[in-house]
Amino acid sequence: MYSIEMAYARMRELQDQANRSRAAQQSATPRTRRRLGRAAAKKR
């Protein structure tokens, strides 16, 4: 049987996972932009 408590717990797990993923992407973004910026500058 699937209870409302189980559904809520699963929703919280997914939310936590999404928040971790978002935090990881935000911390990686500036480094990636810098790398891409350097590569674009070298090509010119």
Side-chain angles (χ1 to χ4, degrees):
M1 185 173 169
Y2 197 73
S3 68
I4 204 78
E5 289 84 7
M6 289 169 69
Y8 185 75
R10 179 66 177 145
M11 184 186 73
R12 292 293 303 165
E13 285 174 16
L14 292 172
Q15 222 169 22
D16 290 343
Q17 185 180 352
N19 288 337
R20 282 194 301 271
S21 175
R22 191 177 304 124
Q25 284 174 358
Q26 284 175 351
S27 67
T29 301
R31 276 176 281 164
T32 304
R33 279 190 188 147
R34 253 184 272 132
R35 249 185 267 131
L36 292 174
R38 278 193 217 121
K42 286 179 185 175
K43 285 180 187 174
R44 290 179 200 160

